[in-house]
Amino acid sequence: MPYKLSTTLRGHKGDVRAVCSPRDDLILSASRDTTAIYWTRQSSDAAFTKSQVFKPGQRFVSSVTYIPPLPEAPQGYVVTGGQDALVNVYNVAVSSERPEYILIGHEQNVCSLSAAPDGTIISGSWDQTAKVWKGFEKAYELLGHEQSVWAVIAIDPSQFLTGSADNTIKLWHQNKAVKTFTGHTQAVRGLALIPEIGFASCANDGTIRVWTMEGDIVHILSGHTSFVYSLAVTSRGDIISGGEDRTVRIWRGMFLYGECVQSIVHPAISVWAVSTLPNTDIVTGCSDGLVRVFSRVEERWASDEEVRNFEVDVAAHAVPAPTVGGVKVNTLPGMDALITPGLKSGDVKMINNRGVGEVYQWDGIRHKWEKVGNLTDAPGTSNKQTFEGKQYDYVFDVDIQEGAPSLKLPYNITENPYTAAQRFLERNDLPMHFLDQVVSFIQKSAESVTLGSSATAPSDPFTGASRYQASQGAPASSGDFMDPFTGASRYRVPSVSSLPAPLSTAEPWSGASRPANNAAAAASPQTQSAAKLPVHTPHLFLQANIPAMQAKLHQFNDLLRQEISASSAALYNRDLSYLDDMFSFLTKISATPPTQPNFPVTPNHIEVLIHLLIKWPSAQRFPVLDLSRLIIAHAPESYAEPEFTTRFFNALFEGAEWSQPWTPLPLPKFRETNILLLFRALANAFKDDSTIGDGAWIKLIFEKIQQAPYAAFTKPQTRMTLSTIYFNMSCRGVREQLDPGLRSALLALVLSVLQNETEDAETAYRALVALGNIVYAAKQFNSPLQPTQESSARAVLNTLPATFAADVRVRNLSQDILALL
């Protein structure tokens, strides 16, 4: 019997990214709507209902698994992972409100989970690691993959499989990799055990591979036309796969033939996840926010009306012409062509039905052609752009850094923006944690198109817009800052690379306007003009999502209070009130229009920041450093007393682990992030109205920075922010004469950047403006540079234009500064 729709579970408001079905009466689903749902039914012929909803936080829930009942958990545990980098463990019998355990250790999205019957958990993450947890404490860290770990399986309590975006699969015994499986040509996305054989894997290369544990490939199953995201194996040994081509495929008789016997098309863009019930029913989770169950047992099929409505939804779904060859409708065969049967399940045929292009797929079990959609060209088909031999509705230019060639981002309006973003990141070997930024860029740069959804399409928790609908012609703007805390109203804090490049208005140091979006940049190249010396206005880092930052700090504080060994670092009572006072202050002063806070930020508040910077674990310090950035900008009087200023700035450097070794490189991601945030905080210290006083705090900053090798700052955005510190200080030097010692120290740091920077033009340009300000001020205050300083400056100015030949600003400004010397 063929598989047919059994039931549809409605409850999520965003993409369903993971499903798990350990018993015939239990289904778990995890969604981008920030929840996981526990679905149960009372008997085999009863309907599934929503029993519990778990909400770990404000970020996507990316993975879910189940631990069977244990003595302390008679109904088992639900385990979730998501973009907050946490693994949350819920005792089903106790509460869905709060996790019983929170497992801390990952640095990025926890995208895969698996559990052994004894409670051993393995988690895979975008941080390139997998971690094994026993007794809800970390037992092993599995290191060896070079990219995100997208798939994990606990074979038993001591053996594990991991699949990665580095195209490999590894078999582990405890924490030792005992075998690496190679063969996939793109990221490995899913794994499933096959009793008595080994396991199956699926990948972005569109294939499914069946392996023995010794590394032999038994079968390569081909049929999917795009990424294959998820695998499951039924109790009969059938392989079930789901992917970006909207289909779930059933592979039966695989030990002999590897044949796809049925393909179930979904009225959605992506089938993100599949699992199987012990009774062989199939569970799917899709981009339309629905969980569906399919059965091969007629008694469990949905009503004829429900099945018919499902088939109508599938048939009404648009199939983009570019994915099936971009052919013209008038060249297609007529309806008579459907008389000829397909060769195998999943065969596709395009038909001209009275001038309308229709797409049909062969159902080998029911022996008939099923309509799966209309063949439609996207708006602007006549103006399609070609990239690598294929046509796309858009090919965006994405500027990664100033002076570097733009990268091409191809996109069709009928494809999932997340697929296009992932394809772009993988092609250009960029970190996967930029995924949501690229999606936001696509959605805001492309024209508004609704695909296969109604006006009530699920809302994207990151943008608030319809899941597959971009703003009407809205370009990406400078206000689209990426928030590391929740994803809502997001702003770029943890990103230590500028992706996409800032897409906005005039730069304070160049006077040149950037295009509103990268597509426009390709059509109308920016006219680059150098700054007019002197430049008086410093560049400050003031954007923030204050409520999200406050929530993240409270979340981390709650976690520390629950850990006996770390509870002394947490805030309690009065100190917690001081923390909330600072957020109340910032909320008022950052409002539009600003309102006057009814209380000041005092040294007592700064003491709380110093405590957190020194006592909290390094990986949890980033919101503290970011809060310090805002306090430095908006309440400099709170730390104005000289000795207190020194304590505060020493604590900032300690928060970024400044005294720790600078090798090996690159530094851990959390340390890179903390250093970036430290530099932003220091840049804000040089406001127009900041007080230099005796200059001790500035000398401290310069001395600390000189301790670090420039090569340690491997990310362009970190180096650019460092240059901004020097630029901001040089603005002060134009307004008031600097102490000769301070000026010499600043000049040495600026020249060091200009001598060492060979890659990022924006970093060099900001340092160059700082040099121009220093030279200008030397003439203005009749305090010439020392001969050795002038000689070093001339040497840099004569060589820098050749290093950044593509940047006209560098050449022009270098000439202007030489004229001043």
Side-chain angles (χ1 to χ4, degrees):
M1 297 292 286
Y3 277 92
K4 283 190 178 183
L5 182 69
S6 175
T7 188
T8 301
L9 308 183
R10 294 175 169 84
H12 286 295
K13 297 179 180 178
D15 294 42
V16 177
R17 289 306 306 265
V19 291
C20 175
S21 47
R23 304 194 310 255
D24 287 341
D25 62 349
L26 173 61
I27 294 173
L28 302 173
S29 57
S31 171
R32 281 185 170 144
D33 66 5
T34 74
T35 70
I37 297 179
Y38 187 89
W39 309 86
T40 60
R41 60 183 175 187
Q42 298 303 313
S43 63
S44 60
D45 57 352
F48 279 99
T49 59
K50 186 192 304 183
S51 295
Q52 295 191 57
V53 178
F54 304 94
K55 188 174 176 59
Q58 300 299 316
R59 306 294 300 274
F60 287 173
V61 183
S62 306
S63 51
V64 66
T65 192
Y66 179 73
I67 298 175
L70 296 170
E72 69 276 16
Q75 295 183 42
Y77 290 101
V78 171
V79 186
T80 67
Q83 287 194 323
D84 56 8
L86 303 175
V87 177
N88 293 279
V89 184
Y90 295 86
N91 188 330
V92 177
V94 175
S95 172
S96 61
E97 295 293 324
R98 294 177 62 87
E100 187 158 309
Y101 301 96
I102 299 175
L103 312 184
I104 302 173
H106 283 295
E107 296 173 17
Q108 295 186 44
N109 180 35
V110 179
C111 53
S112 54
L113 287 168
S114 179
D118 73 334
T120 298
I121 300 169
I122 179 172
S123 55
S125 169
W126 289 359
D127 64 11
Q128 304 180 15
T129 72
K131 300 184 191 299
V132 177
W133 313 82
K134 291 180 177 290
F136 308 112
E137 294 184 353
K138 186 168 70 175
Y140 316 121
E141 185 170 34
L142 309 187
L143 302 174
H145 284 297
E146 297 177 357
Q147 296 291 336
S148 303
V149 180
W150 279 107
V152 296
I153 288 183
I155 301 173
D156 57 42
S158 61
Q159 291 191 96
F160 313 97
L161 281 170
T162 58
S164 170
D166 64 11
N167 307 346
T168 70
I169 302 158
K170 291 182 183 292
L171 174 64
W172 306 79
H173 180 71
Q174 296 182 345
N175 62 342
K176 181 180 180 181
V178 295
K179 191 162 196 64
T180 298
F181 304 81
T182 60
H184 283 295
T185 59
Q186 294 185 38
V188 178
R189 299 302 296 270
L191 297 168
L193 291 177
I194 302 176
E196 300 180 8
I197 294 292
F199 66 94
S201 62
C202 63
N204 285 356
D205 59 16
T207 68
I208 300 161
R209 291 173 182 253
V210 180
W211 311 75
T212 67
M213 289 298 181
E214 289 71 37
D216 298 320
I217 298 177
V218 179
H219 288 291
I220 299 177
L221 310 180
S222 300
H224 283 283
T225 59
S226 188
F227 299 164
V228 188
Y229 291 133
S230 183
L231 289 176
V233 176
T234 70
S235 55
R236 301 178 59 206
D238 298 338
I239 291 180
I240 312 300
S241 59
E244 185 63 19
D245 60 3
R246 306 191 299 146
T247 70
V248 166
R249 297 179 185 247
I250 296 96
W251 308 83
R252 190 170 301 161
M254 44 160 285
F255 304 121
L256 296 175
Y257 315 112
E259 180 188 3
C260 176
V261 296
Q262 188 177 356
S263 180
I264 305 172
V265 181
H266 284 58
I269 291 181
S270 307
V271 179
W272 289 118
V274 297
S275 68
T276 59
L277 294 164
N279 64 12
T280 74
D281 285 0
I282 299 170
V283 182
T284 68
C286 296
S287 57
D288 59 5
L290 299 179
V291 177
R292 296 180 176 89
V293 181
F294 297 85
S295 181
R296 56 187 294 275
V297 178
E298 188 171 358
E299 290 75 17
R300 295 198 292 268
W301 288 352
S303 67
D304 290 344
E305 182 180 4
E306 288 180 87
V307 173
R308 186 165 51 252
N309 288 340
F310 172 77
E311 293 174 347
V312 168
D313 288 342
V314 170
H317 201 81
V319 176
T323 65
V324 287
V327 298
K328 296 180 181 179
V329 172
N330 59 12
T331 66
L332 298 175
M335 297 295 290
D336 291 345
L338 299 180
I339 298 173
T340 304
L343 297 176
K344 62 181 184 302
S345 286
D347 281 355
V348 172
K349 184 171 288 189
M350 293 174 287
I351 297 296
N352 179 358
N353 185 4
R354 300 180 181 180
V356 176
E358 296 179 343
V359 182
Y360 289 80
Q361 181 172 276
W362 180 251
D363 186 330
I365 295 180
R366 301 164 72 181
H367 207 71
K368 62 179 292 191
W369 290 101
E370 294 282 355
K371 183 182 175 184
V372 296
N374 292 322
L375 182 63
T376 61
D377 280 331
T381 298
S382 59
N383 297 315
K384 285 185 180 294
Q385 301 178 58
T386 301
F387 177 70
E388 294 184 347
K390 297 180 181 179
Q391 287 191 322
Y392 295 90
D393 296 316
Y394 301 97
V395 179
F396 299 118
D397 287 302
V398 179
D399 297 322
I400 301 302
Q401 62 185 55
E402 294 287 345
S406 297
L407 301 178
K408 301 296 184 181
L409 196 170
Y411 173 64
N412 284 312
I413 60 170
T414 46
E415 72 176 317
N416 188 333
Y418 282 86
T419 303
Q422 180 180 315
R423 184 177 61 226
F424 169 78
L425 294 173
E426 291 176 343
R427 178 187 295 114
N428 295 290
D429 195 27
L430 295 169
M432 200 53 67
H433 62 257
F434 290 123
L435 182 68
D436 301 309
Q437 286 178 254
V438 180
V439 169
S440 178
F441 170 72
I442 292 172
Q443 291 175 324
K444 293 189 176 183
S445 298
E447 293 179 357
S448 175
V449 176
T450 301
L451 172 63
S453 61
S454 66
T456 58
S459 173
D460 181 351
F462 279 0
T463 66
S466 174
R467 172 63 179 80
Y468 298 116
Q469 183 171 358
S471 303
Q472 188 75 284
S477 70
S478 59
D480 183 29
F481 289 90
M482 306 304 282
D483 175 10
F485 307 129
T486 67
S489 302
R490 310 180 65 204
Y491 75 121
R492 297 184 182 101
V493 166
S495 307
V496 288
S497 172
S498 180
L499 178 73
L503 307 172
S504 65
T505 54
E507 295 280 11
W509 34 77
S510 70
S513 294
R514 285 184 169 180
N517 59 52
N518 284 321
S524 303
Q526 173 186 339
T527 302
Q528 295 179 319
S529 59
K532 302 300 181 183
L533 296 174
V535 178
H536 295 86
T537 306
H539 177 71
L540 305 180
F541 297 93
L542 301 178
Q543 290 281 1
N545 184 337
I546 294 170
M549 190 187 303
Q550 184 177 13
K552 179 56 67 175
L553 275 164
H554 276 280
Q555 178 190 355
F556 284 166
N557 193 64
D558 289 344
L559 293 176
L560 291 172
R561 291 172 71 165
Q562 296 172 23
E563 293 287 336
I564 295 176
S565 61
S567 59
S568 61
L571 298 181
Y572 300 87
N573 302 329
R574 185 181 63 179
D575 288 343
L576 207 52
S577 297
Y578 282 139
L579 181 68
D580 290 333
D581 285 347
M582 287 186 277
F583 284 111
S584 297
F585 175 91
L586 293 172
T587 299
K588 289 180 178 292
I589 208 165
S590 302
T592 305
T595 58
Q596 184 61 36
N598 51 15
F599 57 87
V601 177
T602 69
N604 289 332
H605 297 89
I606 303 301
E607 288 285 5
V608 172
L609 292 178
I610 292 174
H611 169 85
L612 298 178
L613 289 165
I614 295 173
K615 298 295 186 180
W616 272 23
S618 300
Q620 274 77 53
R621 290 176 187 168
F622 69 88
V624 186
L625 284 158
D626 215 24
L627 174 58
S628 301
R629 166 182 69 91
L630 299 179
I631 293 298
I632 287 171
H634 294 295
E637 67 284 352
S638 62
Y639 59 91
E641 198 276 322
E643 290 186 6
F644 199 70
T645 303
T646 300
R647 280 189 61 221
F648 184 29
F649 280 94
N650 269 319
L652 287 168
F653 278 99
E654 187 169 345
E657 297 184 295
W658 202 258
S659 61
Q660 296 300 309
W662 293 98
T663 55
L665 296 177
L667 300 173
K669 287 185 176 62
F670 69 84
R671 191 175 175 196
E672 288 182 338
T673 298
N674 289 344
I675 290 172
L676 172 63
L677 296 175
L678 166 68
F679 286 172
R680 290 184 177 180
L682 298 179
N684 283 358
F686 297 100
K687 284 183 64 178
D688 290 342
D689 56 353
S690 60
T691 302
I692 291 181
D694 62 4
W697 63 278
I698 301 177
K699 293 176 184 176
L700 168 68
I701 291 173
F702 289 171
E703 288 171 0
K704 290 283 190 182
I705 292 176
Q706 286 173 334
Q707 296 170 5
Y710 190 76
F713 310 131
T714 58
K715 303 300 184 183
Q717 190 169 348
T718 305
R719 303 196 300 274
M720 182 185 69
T721 309
L722 178 63
S723 279
T724 306
I725 297 173
Y726 305 153
F727 164 75
N728 287 357
M729 179 60 185
S730 76
C731 294
R732 292 303 306 265
V734 171
R735 294 192 300 275
E736 60 181 285
Q737 187 171 4
L738 298 179
D739 171 85
L742 279 182
R743 188 186 74 173
S744 294
L746 174 62
L747 179 59
L749 291 168
V750 169
L751 290 175
S752 176
V753 172
L754 295 174
Q755 291 161 354
N756 287 284
E757 184 58 53
T758 59
E759 298 177 355
D760 185 55
E762 188 63 31
T763 297
Y765 182 68
R766 297 186 186 198
L768 189 61
V769 178
L771 176 60
N773 275 349
I774 294 170
V775 172
Y776 182 93
K779 286 191 171 295
Q780 176 184 353
F781 295 113
N782 195 25
S783 177
L785 303 181
Q786 298 173 9
T788 55
Q789 293 174 331
E790 181 176 337
S791 175
S792 297
R794 286 185 181 278
V796 164
L797 293 168
N798 284 321
T799 59
L800 199 65
T803 304
F804 298 101
D807 197 307
V808 178
R809 302 172 305 164
V810 171
R811 182 179 69 241
N812 292 344
L813 187 56
S814 296
Q815 294 171 353
D816 291 346
I817 299 172
L818 280 169
L820 287 173
L821 285 171

